[in-house]
Amino acid sequence: IKEEPDFLKEETEISAAQKGTIIHFIFETIDINKLKEDSNLRDNIDNQINELIEKEILSKKEYESIDIEYVYKFFESEIGKQLLNSKKIYRELPFNLAIPAKDISDKWVESDEDVLVQGIIDLTFEDENGNMILVDYKTNYFKTDKEKETLIKEYKLQINYYKKAITTLLNKKVSHSYLYFLSKNIIIEV
């Protein structure tokens, strides 16, 4: 073989999609209990990420490709503070839902069949009052309010499926659901 196969070649640049996956991975693996114990949140997050790098779970290149401020700012936000005060936390919660086809598309309004919807919920937790809070991390970048509103509209259906899944899986209704646009540090209730 004259040239290395593609899978052996080292990538020179990490794509936006890969960066989103890295950030989701960090949110999934951060030990929330350690964050609760330490008053210096940013140092604690840095220490946990350094452990991931030392254990070769996350590469230095992957870490350097993302903006860690996204993670800091989330945990410093009101939602992040509620999360740190919660007792029940569910991250990367997989689900399968049977949804009536007529509820998914006008094309299927006459159908009596169900469609299987599968997904993974980024984060849901029970706040100190027993309310279920849903957070979906978004790495989309938008420039204008119109672009932001378009994204929110696109994600509302997904959030509704997540709410149904949480009600089915955990037997609790979601009282508040949020989209967290990491690139803008904006949390929007939907």
Side-chain angles (χ1 to χ4, degrees):
I1 299 177
K2 293 182 180 182
E3 190 178 327
E4 284 184 324
D6 286 342
F7 71 90
L8 287 178
K9 291 180 184 174
E10 187 173 320
E11 283 189 43
T12 56
E13 194 172 315
I14 294 176
S15 71
Q18 289 169 316
K19 289 176 186 179
T21 300
I22 294 164
I23 290 169
H24 273 80
F25 173 75
I26 290 171
F27 278 121
E28 179 185 354
T29 56
I30 286 284
D31 186 333
I32 305 268
N33 289 324
K34 285 183 181 178
L35 294 181
K36 290 178 181 184
E37 297 167 1
D38 193 343
S39 61
N40 194 330
L41 194 67
R42 289 177 179 234
D43 283 350
N44 191 305
I45 291 168
D46 289 342
N47 290 337
Q48 289 192 49
I49 290 172
N50 285 330
E51 285 179 30
L52 294 173
I53 292 168
E54 287 171 17
K55 293 177 182 176
E56 297 182 357
I57 297 169
L58 180 72
S59 75
K60 185 110 174 127
K61 180 180 177 182
E62 289 169 327
Y63 169 70
E64 290 171 349
S65 75
I66 60 141
D67 186 348
I68 195 62
E69 283 292 317
Y70 297 166
V71 179
Y72 297 152
K73 288 179 179 177
F74 173 76
F75 284 106
E76 292 168 347
S77 72
E78 285 306 310
I79 298 295
K81 290 173 187 172
Q82 286 180 30
L83 172 63
L84 293 175
N85 288 321
S86 67
K87 290 186 172 57
K88 290 186 182 176
I89 301 169
Y90 305 90
R91 296 187 282 181
E92 299 299 314
L93 182 65
F95 71 89
N96 295 306
L97 279 179
I99 304 287
K102 61 186 169 197
D103 292 349
I104 293 177
S105 173
D106 293 337
K107 294 185 281 187
W108 301 328
V109 77
E110 301 294 323
S111 176
D112 290 329
E113 295 182 31
D114 289 339
V115 174
L116 181 64
V117 176
Q118 297 177 317
I120 298 176
I121 299 166
D122 290 338
L123 171 67
T124 189
F125 62 92
E126 193 173 320
D127 71 11
E128 61 255 2
N129 300 318
N131 299 312
M132 290 307 292
I133 309 297
L134 165 64
V135 180
D136 194 32
Y137 311 119
K138 297 297 178 193
T139 55
N140 305 70
Y141 182 80
F142 55 85
K143 293 180 183 174
T144 66
D145 284 343
K146 185 177 180 184
E147 289 175 350
K148 177 179 78 172
E149 294 306 317
T150 299
L151 287 171
I152 292 167
K153 185 178 178 187
E154 289 174 6
Y155 288 127
K156 277 188 178 180
L157 181 63
Q158 177 186 7
I159 292 295
N160 287 335
Y161 291 149
Y162 287 1
K163 287 178 175 179
K164 287 180 184 180
I166 291 166
T167 300
T168 302
L169 292 171
L170 305 177
N171 201 26
K172 289 204 151 234
K173 288 220 180 268
V174 173
S175 59
H176 299 283
S177 55
Y178 301 94
L179 294 172
Y180 179 44
F181 288 99
L182 297 154
S183 65
K184 298 284 189 173
N185 191 35
I186 295 175
I187 299 173
I188 298 168
E189 187 162 7
V190 290

